[in-house]
Amino acid sequence: MTLANTYKNWQQENKDFLLAALDRLTNILKSYIDQCKNDSLRDLPSQSEACFPPKNIEVEISAHPALEVLCKRFNLSDFEKNLLLLCVGVELDLNFSDLCAEAHGVNHQNYPTFGLALRVFPNSHWSALAPDAPLRRWKLIDLGPGRTLTNIALYIDERILHYIVGVQTTDTLLTGMTELSQNVQQLIPSHQSVADKIEALWKLSSSNNILPIIQLCGSEIEDKTDIAQAVCNHFEQQVSILNCHRIPLNPEDLSLFICRLERECILAGRVLLLNCDDIDPFDQLQRAAINQLLEQLGGFIIVTTLSPLQGIKRQMIRFDVPKPLPQEQLITWETSVAELKTQLNGQGKFIPDSKQLMQDLQELTSQFQLSNSMIRRACTATVGTLTMPSAPSLKQALWQSCRVQARPGLDELAERIESKLSWEDLVLPPLQKGILKEISAHVRQKAKVYEKWGFASKSRRGLGITALFSGPSGTGKTLAAGVLANELNLDVYKIELSAVVSKYIGETEKNLQQIFNAAESGGVILLFDEADSIFGKRSEVKDSKDRNANLEVSYLLQRMESYPGMAILTTNLQSNLDPAFMRRLRFVTQFSLPDAAHRSEIWRRIFPPDTPTEGLNFEKLAQLNTPGGNIRIIALNSAFMAADAEEPVQMKHILKATQTEYEKLGKSLTSVEISGWI
């Protein structure tokens, strides 16, 4: 029998059980009404006749009825069960309103009350009316208006009614909560070790009735949720995820929210997974709301965070979730590629021989530090690409897919620069160009040197590739970064330091942490333009501003040391950088103003092949003593002038564009520079 059919059968059985229980309750009310008419109020139904659940209801049910499950989970007494069922009856059967009116002896009082329940049902107890008793504490019933507790109207909560009837729904107040599927991929060894420790802790805690909060710290939310789901699968429990931004900040709203949230977890038998990965550490109201929720909420709770939460009084046990080790990533890659082959089923271009495949996967692992879920998504995303007529190789398809997987975190924090530049577009002296090609070789051979040759075995700090490009503006520093990105098939992200540096204490470090964390998935080159504004020298501490500035530089020093990717710093003044940065930089290259020979070569390459030109003298143009960045602007402006005149680009257009550029820069154009142009 399918799962859908099983659920359908249970719904019918649950309905039959509930109707039979309501019939029983109807008979009890009618009996009470008859006795009232006969002035036999003392001769109420005996406990054996009025007890609930009914003992003589002949309804077979394969699974537990929803009402019985609810009563057990909230520890309701027989009296409380009957009272709750009375409220259900009014919602489902119109006759119950008339019966309530008759029982009260007042026509307009056609609703359940505590007073009626106390008179009708056996084993009644006043404590059921208390605010901390289950019916009111868990908001199973709502109280109508009025001052007399025993005579005010009682209504069953909508969520509770749906549950008892057998309708699968969620509390409207908790909209935005999501449920995790119980299907979870097999955990890698380092993550399985974390799951095993949590399982052992929960077993011990359950026996001692002490339930600590489990805090999973790490940068990959999906890895943390996989661990949480694996633990809950072990205990045959489901998981509900709540984002911390869904928590109300108003104290009154928060108290109701906590109550309904815990009720939902008890009702559905679920573990709460609170996602605090994007919490704002400087938002005091949000932090206070999260702390209150965690301190007041009962049951098993798992919290995911980037860094540990502080200031919570309830016991919280932290587990760090490490990124998959390179060997673990390789295993996930192999498994995912095997599944990809099954998906393609012989269609399209696919897998090279095992030796070449392993080499390709090692290169992917060395460049991209992806989580297990990101690796699986990267493989799945290549299905359409590999079945195209002009499909790339498997390595090319996976590489591009990895780049896309690594982008989302940085796209919101920095500017991605698309680069189609090649070595041919870069005019530099042999020494500088040789250093750039050496940088490229370091990135390409990371897998071999770090993993195969063992350089990463002792420490994984200092494995990132950092370079400093210094020199005057317009000498090709940003251009060189674009060439490297295109050569290595990586994305380059330009960090706008104006958006990073803040006058508020701690804000600069927080902004930088977000950038470095997002970039750690790999596949990107971080370009810190005009880096001396943030990587400057530490100074003698004379006031709080000096102290904060020094802290920012110290944080950057540590972060650059641990960053595993590639970062390029550009500066016009190398002498302004803190000397400690120089030790952490693997490459330093000076970009100088081009000489006449290099300027001539830049002019030869500056116009695209499709640009019409006529009579350009590159040796004469090389007399113009200006860097490559300004040459590009002059060439572009001259092209617009020629296009507007419907002519090919000529020396006269370049002369006019040069005069405009020099006027912008506040420079004087000498006759020597333009001698012989026209």
Side-chain angles (χ1 to χ4, degrees):
M1 183 180 294
T2 65
L3 186 61
N5 287 336
T6 301
Y7 176 66
K8 186 176 180 180
N9 290 344
W10 176 86
Q11 276 192 314
Q12 184 59 49
E13 294 170 351
N14 185 70
K15 179 181 178 182
D16 293 341
F17 180 89
L18 186 57
L19 291 176
L22 292 175
D23 285 343
R24 177 69 172 175
L25 199 61
T26 300
N27 293 332
I28 294 173
L29 283 171
K30 287 180 178 179
S31 177
Y32 172 77
I33 293 168
D34 290 341
Q35 291 169 6
C36 286
K37 291 178 179 178
N38 296 326
D39 289 327
S40 303
L41 294 179
R42 296 181 182 275
D43 187 19
L44 294 178
S46 67
Q47 181 177 345
S48 62
E49 293 174 335
C51 68
F52 182 85
K55 295 182 178 179
N56 59 346
I57 294 180
E58 296 181 359
V59 176
E60 293 185 2
I61 188 164
S62 55
H64 294 295
L67 184 58
E68 282 192 340
V69 174
L70 181 143
C71 292
K72 182 178 180 181
R73 288 182 175 171
F74 291 101
N75 195 29
L76 300 186
S77 66
D78 288 342
F79 172 65
E80 290 165 330
K81 295 171 189 177
N82 284 309
L83 178 53
L84 187 65
L85 188 61
L86 182 62
C87 295
V88 173
V90 173
E91 296 287 347
L92 301 183
D93 189 340
L94 294 176
N95 294 326
F96 266 79
S97 295
D98 295 335
L99 290 172
C100 287
E102 281 194 73
H104 283 113
V106 183
N107 289 336
H108 69 269
Q109 206 168 1
N110 59 347
Y111 44 77
T113 63
F114 280 128
L116 177 61
L118 289 168
R119 292 195 301 271
V120 171
F121 300 127
N123 297 328
S124 60
H125 52 95
W126 187 264
S127 59
L129 284 64
D132 58 350
L135 291 177
R136 294 180 65 187
R137 176 190 175 190
W138 300 114
K139 312 294 183 185
L140 304 182
I141 59 173
D142 296 322
L143 306 184
R147 294 184 176 181
T148 308
L149 184 61
T150 54
N151 287 327
I152 57 178
L154 304 179
Y155 305 95
I156 188 167
D157 180 82
E158 181 183 355
R159 170 68 179 107
I160 301 303
L161 177 63
H162 291 319
Y163 181 87
I164 292 173
V165 172
V167 175
Q168 293 183 337
T169 185
T170 305
D171 193 319
T172 54
L173 190 65
L174 305 176
T175 302
M177 282 187 68
T178 57
E179 298 172 19
L180 276 180
S181 169
Q182 289 188 300
N183 296 324
V184 62
Q185 297 284 344
Q186 183 175 359
L187 298 181
I188 58 175
S190 59
H191 293 172
Q192 185 60 55
S193 174
V194 175
D196 292 341
K197 292 174 183 176
I198 297 174
E199 289 171 12
L201 177 65
W202 271 8
K203 287 177 183 176
L204 180 62
S205 301
S206 297
S207 61
N208 295 335
N209 293 320
I210 301 173
L211 301 178
I213 297 171
I214 301 299
Q215 184 174 193
L216 297 178
C217 296
S219 59
E220 297 296 336
I221 178 62
E222 288 170 311
D223 286 350
K224 291 180 286 190
T225 53
D226 281 349
I227 291 173
Q229 186 62 72
V231 171
C232 293
N233 284 354
H234 179 81
F235 291 100
E236 298 182 345
Q237 289 185 297
Q238 291 182 311
V239 180
S240 288
I241 302 179
L242 175 67
N243 190 286
C244 65
H245 294 291
R246 300 291 304 173
I247 301 174
L249 303 182
N250 180 279
E252 291 184 5
D253 295 339
L254 178 58
S255 296
L256 178 61
F257 182 85
I258 293 173
C259 173
R260 299 269 280 270
L261 176 61
E262 186 170 358
R263 185 185 74 178
E264 187 69 21
C265 290
I266 296 172
L267 199 62
R270 294 196 181 101
V271 171
L272 176 67
L273 177 63
L274 183 62
N275 176 8
C276 294
D277 280 51
D278 55 351
I279 184 177
D280 183 353
F282 297 94
D283 189 335
Q284 297 299 325
L285 282 177
Q286 186 186 47
R287 289 297 300 269
I290 291 173
N291 287 6
Q292 183 177 336
L293 183 144
L294 292 176
E295 288 170 4
Q296 294 182 5
L297 203 63
F300 287 115
I301 305 172
I302 299 175
V303 182
T304 63
T305 59
L306 292 177
S307 55
L309 294 179
Q310 304 293 337
I312 297 175
K313 298 176 183 177
R314 182 175 168 185
Q315 185 183 21
M316 180 179 288
I317 298 179
R318 166 186 166 186
F319 293 91
D320 290 325
V321 179
K323 283 197 169 187
L325 298 172
Q327 193 58 39
E328 292 175 328
Q329 292 177 52
L330 266 180
I331 294 171
T332 306
W333 273 116
E334 289 181 90
T335 304
S336 300
V337 168
E339 293 172 356
L340 178 60
K341 183 177 181 180
T342 303
Q343 282 181 283
L344 291 174
N345 196 22
Q347 300 179 18
K349 187 180 295 185
F350 194 60
I351 298 180
D353 62 79
S354 57
K355 183 178 179 181
Q356 182 61 48
L357 175 62
M358 182 55 65
Q359 182 178 333
D360 292 345
L361 295 182
Q362 286 176 338
E363 288 186 28
L364 287 168
T365 302
S366 69
Q367 187 58 56
F368 300 95
Q369 312 299 314
L370 302 183
S371 66
N372 297 310
S373 55
M374 293 172 75
I375 291 173
R376 291 191 287 269
R377 283 201 304 270
C379 285
T380 302
T382 61
V383 173
T385 304
L386 292 171
T387 54
M388 296 172 59
S390 57
S393 67
L394 175 67
K395 178 185 175 182
Q396 291 171 329
L398 290 176
W399 190 282
Q400 183 60 30
S401 186
C402 287
R403 287 177 63 179
V404 173
Q405 292 296 318
R407 282 174 184 167
L410 268 173
D411 276 339
E412 298 178 358
L413 302 171
E415 177 190 1
R416 177 158 51 93
I417 301 174
E418 298 286 349
S419 176
K420 300 295 181 183
L421 300 170
S422 66
W423 293 114
E424 296 301 317
D425 298 301
L426 194 61
V427 179
L428 286 175
L431 176 61
Q432 280 75 18
K433 205 164 189 176
I435 292 175
L436 293 179
K437 291 194 174 183
E438 191 177 345
I439 294 172
S440 177
H442 277 234
V443 177
R444 288 196 312 272
Q445 301 301 328
K446 282 169 62 177
K448 179 184 291 185
V449 174
Y450 289 164
E451 307 303 333
K452 191 174 181 180
W453 289 4
F455 272 77
S457 59
K458 292 187 177 180
S459 174
R460 304 202 71 84
R461 292 184 66 84
L463 300 182
I465 298 169
T466 50
L468 173 68
F469 296 168
S470 65
S473 178
T475 51
K477 301 185 294 294
T478 303
L479 182 71
V483 170
L484 282 172
N486 192 44
E487 170 74 12
L488 296 167
N489 197 14
L490 301 174
D491 291 319
V492 58
Y493 280 87
K494 184 178 180 181
I495 311 302
E496 295 292 344
L497 293 178
S498 60
V500 172
V501 179
S502 173
K503 65 180 181 180
Y504 297 106
I505 297 174
E507 279 289 313
T508 300
E509 291 92 326
K510 184 188 78 170
N511 296 336
L512 286 166
Q513 182 184 38
Q514 287 182 315
I515 291 170
F516 279 114
N517 286 343
E520 281 189 346
S521 294
V524 300
I525 297 174
L526 291 181
L527 176 62
F528 291 91
D529 204 14
E530 299 182 5
D532 48 299
S533 63
I534 191 170
F535 293 83
K537 291 180 179 178
R538 285 168 289 187
S539 59
E540 181 183 350
V541 177
K542 296 180 180 179
D543 54 29
S544 60
K545 292 182 179 179
D546 293 335
R547 184 180 299 106
N548 293 331
N550 288 349
L551 287 173
E552 291 173 3
V553 175
S554 299
Y555 171 79
L556 275 168
L557 287 169
Q558 298 172 19
R559 205 62 182 84
M560 291 287 287
E561 185 93 31
S562 61
Y563 177 58
M566 182 177 181
I568 296 175
L569 285 62
T570 69
T571 178
N572 297 341
L573 297 170
Q574 179 178 332
S575 59
N576 285 352
L577 290 179
D578 193 289
F581 277 113
M582 304 303 293
R583 178 178 63 81
R584 290 167 170 82
L585 295 170
R586 193 176 298 188
F587 297 97
V588 177
T589 183
Q590 179 72 36
F591 287 70
S592 57
L593 292 170
D595 57 21
H598 285 110
R599 291 198 297 269
S600 175
E601 194 61 34
I602 292 172
W603 277 111
R604 291 178 192 277
R605 303 181 188 187
I606 202 68
F607 292 104
D610 293 334
T611 304
T613 61
E614 182 181 298
L616 298 186
N617 187 324
F618 298 116
E619 282 70 25
K620 295 290 185 184
L621 291 173
Q623 296 170 178
L624 194 65
N625 190 15
T626 189
N630 297 104
I631 290 175
R632 182 182 181 279
I633 295 173
I634 293 170
L636 183 63
N637 290 344
S638 67
F640 276 103
M641 292 179 187
D644 192 52
E646 297 186 356
E647 298 174 342
V649 179
Q650 303 170 42
M651 294 293 287
K652 64 179 182 179
H653 302 122
I654 296 178
L655 175 59
K656 178 61 178 172
T658 301
Q659 291 169 339
T660 302
E661 180 67 9
Y662 269 53
E663 179 68 21
K664 181 189 77 175
L665 297 174
K667 292 176 59 177
S668 298
L669 184 60
T670 66
S671 57
V672 174
E673 290 180 288
I674 57 175
S675 174
W677 278 28
I678 298 176

